[in-house]
Amino acid sequence: MLAALRTDLQHQLELLPQSPDGRPAEVRAAITDVSTVSPSLNVLSTAMFAAPLERGGAAVEIEAVETGSHRQLAALSLGYYAPLSDLKARYSKLAPAQIALDKAAGDFGPLLHP
């Protein structure tokens, strides 16, 4: 999961425009919680109640700090559960957490723009 978050964040950093005034920065990220789903329970609950019961998701903290001064440039703390509309995520143990990590990286990227 951490490798997937790292890849998503690297992609967001590659999208940033080049800046002649740029300074070195360090991006720190931590996955603080992962809520998995039980695919078999969701299949059973879908058969009984016409809807999966478990949603799943993750909580993430990300910050960018200036290397020399340790001044915080951007920060994000996000807890996200996969939306009810995303039914395919209900039948894979870690899919909802991956959706949350993708959202966190996507929300963090714009915070880095001046």
Side-chain angles (χ1 to χ4, degrees):
M1 300 292 320
L2 193 54
L5 179 59
R6 181 179 296 122
T7 300
D8 286 347
L9 287 171
Q10 285 173 338
H11 176 70
Q12 290 297 321
L13 293 174
E14 290 168 1
L15 296 176
L16 290 174
Q18 294 293 322
S19 172
D21 302 339
R23 298 173 307 280
E26 178 180 358
V27 175
R28 302 173 185 164
I31 301 170
T32 57
D33 187 35
V34 172
S35 178
T36 61
V37 298
S38 170
S40 56
L41 176 62
N42 277 345
V43 167
L44 181 61
S45 68
T46 299
M48 293 179 68
F49 307 115
L53 294 177
E54 294 188 314
R55 288 188 358 166
V60 180
E61 294 181 11
I62 308 169
E63 75 171 343
V65 294
E66 199 171 301
T67 302
S69 67
H70 301 289
R71 183 176 66 99
Q72 189 177 66
L73 303 172
L76 174 76
S77 180
L78 175 81
Y80 186 77
Y81 282 86
L84 292 172
S85 60
D86 195 347
L87 290 177
K88 67 180 178 184
R90 306 286 183 263
Y91 305 102
S92 173
K93 186 174 184 173
L94 293 174
Q98 185 61 52
I99 290 169
L101 299 181
D102 293 343
K103 177 160 178 43
D107 288 357
F108 186 70
L111 297 177
L112 296 171
H113 291 277

